[in-house]
Amino acid sequence: MTDNQEKSEIVNTDNTIDAEKFKEAANEHFKNQSYDKAIELYTKAIELNSSMASYYGNRSFAYLKTECFGYALNDASKAIELDRNYVKGYYRRAAAYMSLSKFKLALKDFETVMKARPSDADAKAKYTECNKIVKKLAFEKAISLDNDKKNIADTINLDAMAIEDDYTGPKLDDGQKVTLEFMKELLKWYKEENKPLHRKYAYKILLDIKTWFMAQPTLVDVPIPDDSKFTVCGDIHGQFYDLLNIFELNGLPSETNPYLFNGDFVDRGSFSVECIFTLFGFKLLFPNHFFMSRGNHESAIMNHMYGFDGEVKAKYTAQMAELFTEVYNWLPLAHCLNKKVLVMHGGLFSRDDITLDNIRETDRNRQPPDEGIMCELLWSDPQPQLGRAPSKRGVGVQFGPDITENFLKLNGLDYIIRSHEVKNDGYEIGHDGKCITVFSAPNYCDTMGNRGAFITITGNDMKPKFTSYDAVPHPDIRPMQYARSLMKFMM
């Protein structure tokens, strides 16, 4: 052996030892739910020793925890490439595929796991459940081809729903209209009694809100008078008690205290039903002073996987879950404040020529597609680097400060506000102040330790002001309580 070979072997041995140290440190951060730090350390381990499938598999799991499904998919595939017998790699890739609604590919990976571990009851259960989802979606696709299929809203008969004598919760007035008194009683009922609103009133709210949203444009223009305050909130994700805290800190919605909630009202948090009826109720009460944008979680597949569908079925009926899907299809995709600030859930586009008129012309009455304007409004994320990059989520695009600047100039805007990402302080100012993220679910999923935030803007200068806050206590019902058991395990 030559001297150079000996030195190379020593260096390689040292790299292997150091890589293991980084991996072990990353594992500890993962256990403590410090996923970003874990990702950083797994990356260092990979840089020193890129031949270990487990390093990629572990980083894939951390990416799943931070909802970077595209990155998680790439790492899981790399782990499998390095070691075809690395079963965890197939588990991780299946979870990533499921998060991206690629259920047939997920099923194929679960099948591989089951073949590798034929006596593993857990592997068989996951394969069986995934197979049920694939068959269910195939059936739904088949019946959707029936042009005579009625809207769920058309099948609801409110007159046939009696109010039981023992129901003591909030009641709509004789005209069946939402009032401020009803909303105050509803908030108190949810907070103190933790019981559902009567199904008749719940259905009435859904039918009325669908009618209202159907009349809204895809891009809503919102005027803000010079001396008026306007509040923008980000993701709520079923954290009802934190939603109440926003109203405690910033006041209830009213004609003089308008709000915009920027998508992802439901899923993950286990009080999503309470959140959505609260928001829909205020929308009906103050239709011109309370606004709601669609998020990527206002979709049938996401609701099916991450808990809202299961929660509605537990508290009401499968029919109501389907009605929610119809309502969500009509949610506006974006709002333009004083013709100066564009607000959307996700972000900007894979093309440079997109105008506000293009957004206005977008057909939104559907489930979110995998590409195009609607997809990117719901899924895209900013990045600090110039240009564009494939999305870390596997859907949408990542866009840099130059992309933001060009979009603003093309459309005569000052800046954009978006949500969609957990931030430590509940907000982040990026792209030289031109791209602002706001996230309003503190201690997201009871694990992330982040603060929540909301933005207030005054019409005369349109400068954003930020209020951050911590999570408040909630009843002992854990997040993802109603999610598919597959996703509770994977995530």
Side-chain angles (χ1 to χ4, degrees):
M1 181 181 293
T2 66
D3 288 344
N4 287 338
Q5 288 174 321
E6 288 180 358
K7 289 178 181 178
S8 177
E9 186 173 311
I10 291 171
V11 170
N12 289 337
T13 301
D14 289 343
N15 285 351
T16 300
I17 293 172
D18 289 343
E20 275 296 301
K21 289 179 180 178
F22 279 126
K23 184 204 77 172
E24 293 301 326
N27 288 348
E28 287 303 311
H29 281 287
F30 187 96
K31 290 176 185 177
N32 294 327
Q33 300 174 344
S34 300
Y35 302 120
D36 288 336
K37 185 63 177 178
I39 289 168
E40 177 186 331
L41 294 173
Y42 287 134
T43 301
K44 289 182 177 180
I46 289 169
E47 289 171 351
L48 291 172
N49 184 1
S50 60
S51 64
M52 292 294 291
S54 62
Y55 295 175
Y56 289 97
N58 288 0
R59 191 171 69 174
S60 176
F61 201 9
Y63 277 136
L64 286 170
K65 291 290 187 179
T66 57
E67 302 183 13
C68 297
F69 305 128
Y71 289 175
L73 178 61
N74 291 339
D75 271 0
S77 295
K78 180 63 177 180
I80 293 167
E81 177 187 321
L82 289 169
D83 183 357
R84 294 289 176 183
N85 296 317
Y86 181 60
V87 176
K88 284 185 179 180
Y90 295 99
Y91 266 124
R92 303 288 180 259
R93 192 165 70 177
Y97 277 140
M98 292 190 72
S99 299
L100 295 168
S101 305
K102 300 180 184 296
F103 299 106
K104 289 184 179 179
L105 292 172
L107 183 63
K108 187 176 179 180
D109 278 340
F110 281 129
E111 186 176 10
T112 300
V113 172
M114 196 171 67
K115 287 179 179 178
R117 298 178 176 175
S119 59
D120 188 331
D122 185 67
K124 183 177 181 180
K126 288 177 174 54
Y127 170 82
T128 300
E129 185 169 357
C130 188
N131 194 33
K132 287 179 181 178
I133 295 172
V134 171
K135 290 181 177 179
K136 181 176 184 293
L137 292 174
F139 173 74
E140 290 174 350
K141 183 177 181 180
I143 63 173
S144 70
L145 297 176
D146 181 2
N147 293 329
D148 295 329
K149 181 185 177 185
K150 291 185 177 180
N151 288 328
I152 296 299
D154 296 334
T155 69
I156 306 301
N157 183 0
L158 293 176
D159 293 336
M161 299 180 190
I163 307 296
E164 295 80 6
D165 292 338
D166 60 353
Y167 175 72
T168 59
K171 297 180 179 180
L172 292 173
D173 62 17
D174 291 339
Q176 296 289 290
K177 298 293 184 182
V178 172
T179 64
L180 181 58
E181 185 62 28
F182 171 83
M183 289 308 301
K184 288 180 177 179
E185 290 180 7
L186 181 64
L187 297 182
K188 183 178 179 181
W189 175 256
Y190 280 155
K191 181 180 180 180
E192 296 181 0
E193 300 296 330
N194 195 24
K195 295 178 181 178
L197 177 67
H198 192 279
R199 66 188 182 282
K200 182 170 185 174
Y201 303 134
Y203 273 113
K204 174 62 175 172
I205 287 173
L206 287 175
L207 293 175
D208 287 352
I209 204 71
K210 182 185 178 185
T211 299
W212 178 265
F213 283 137
M214 287 175 67
Q216 293 266 277
T218 296
L219 170 59
V220 178
D221 289 292
V222 182
I224 305 174
D226 284 350
D227 58 348
S228 296
K229 179 186 79 170
F230 189 88
T231 301
V232 180
C233 298
D235 304 42
I236 296 298
H237 274 300
Q239 296 184 198
F240 175 72
Y241 295 85
D242 295 306
L243 174 60
L244 288 183
N245 189 41
I246 292 174
F247 295 150
E248 185 72 25
L249 295 170
N250 195 54
L252 286 176
S254 70
E255 292 182 350
T256 58
N257 192 28
Y259 280 82
L260 164 58
F261 281 82
N262 196 29
D264 281 13
F265 323 115
V266 300
D267 277 340
R268 296 193 180 273
S270 294
F271 305 96
S272 292
V273 164
E274 290 78 6
C275 284
I276 198 63
F277 278 120
T278 295
L279 298 178
F280 281 171
F282 277 120
K283 177 64 181 175
L284 291 172
L285 181 59
F286 303 114
N288 298 312
H289 298 85
F290 192 91
F291 305 91
M292 299 173 69
S293 289
R294 190 174 189 174
N296 63 298
H297 276 266
E298 277 69 60
S299 73
I301 290 295
M302 299 298 278
N303 293 166
H304 187 71
M305 300 306 299
Y306 292 99
F308 182 64
D309 182 80
E311 184 179 344
V312 175
K313 289 175 179 176
K315 295 178 179 179
Y316 291 102
T317 64
Q319 180 193 51
M320 183 180 286
E322 293 184 59
L323 180 56
F324 268 110
T325 297
E326 288 184 5
V327 173
Y328 289 159
N329 282 352
W330 287 105
L331 281 165
L333 300 182
H335 293 74
C336 191
L337 312 181
N338 268 5
K339 300 182 179 179
K340 291 296 183 182
V341 180
L342 186 67
V343 187
M344 77 292 279
H345 181 72
L348 297 181
F349 311 100
S350 55
R351 289 166 41 196
D352 290 324
D353 59 347
I354 301 300
T355 66
L356 297 185
D357 282 340
N358 293 139
I359 298 174
R360 290 187 179 98
E361 294 162 1
T362 299
D363 175 20
R364 73 184 190 277
N365 180 25
R366 53 181 171 152
Q367 287 302 290
D370 293 332
E371 59 184 7
I373 290 175
M374 182 174 177
C375 169
E376 290 160 358
L377 283 168
L378 299 181
W379 279 97
S380 290
D381 295 291
Q383 65 177 17
Q385 302 87 358
L386 295 175
R388 296 181 175 89
S391 172
K392 61 188 178 182
R393 301 176 189 270
V395 186
V397 67
Q398 290 180 201
F399 59 96
D402 54 329
I403 305 301
T404 299
E405 183 67 26
N406 292 338
F407 175 81
L408 296 175
K409 285 182 179 179
L410 178 64
N411 291 284
L413 300 169
D414 291 345
Y415 61 93
I416 64 171
I417 296 175
R418 41 90 61 184
S419 302
H420 196 39
E421 289 184 287
V422 180
K423 299 298 177 184
N424 286 338
D425 294 320
Y427 70 93
E428 183 177 81
I429 304 172
H431 295 185
D432 299 318
K434 301 298 179 65
C435 178
I436 296 171
T437 298
V438 60
F439 191 87
S440 300
N443 195 26
Y444 181 45
C445 291
D446 286 357
T447 61
M448 299 302 287
N450 61 291
R451 305 190 83 196
F454 55 81
I455 299 172
T456 51
I457 300 169
T458 303
N460 58 351
D461 63 15
M462 297 301 290
K463 292 182 179 178
K465 300 177 178 62
F466 305 93
T467 301
S468 292
Y469 50 88
D470 294 317
V472 296
H474 63 72
D476 189 20
I477 301 175
R478 57 188 174 82
M480 301 283 281
Q481 174 70 29
Y482 301 97
R484 301 287 302 193
S485 58
L486 259 176
M487 296 314 293
K488 285 187 279 189
F489 171 81
M490 293 295 183
M491 304 307 292

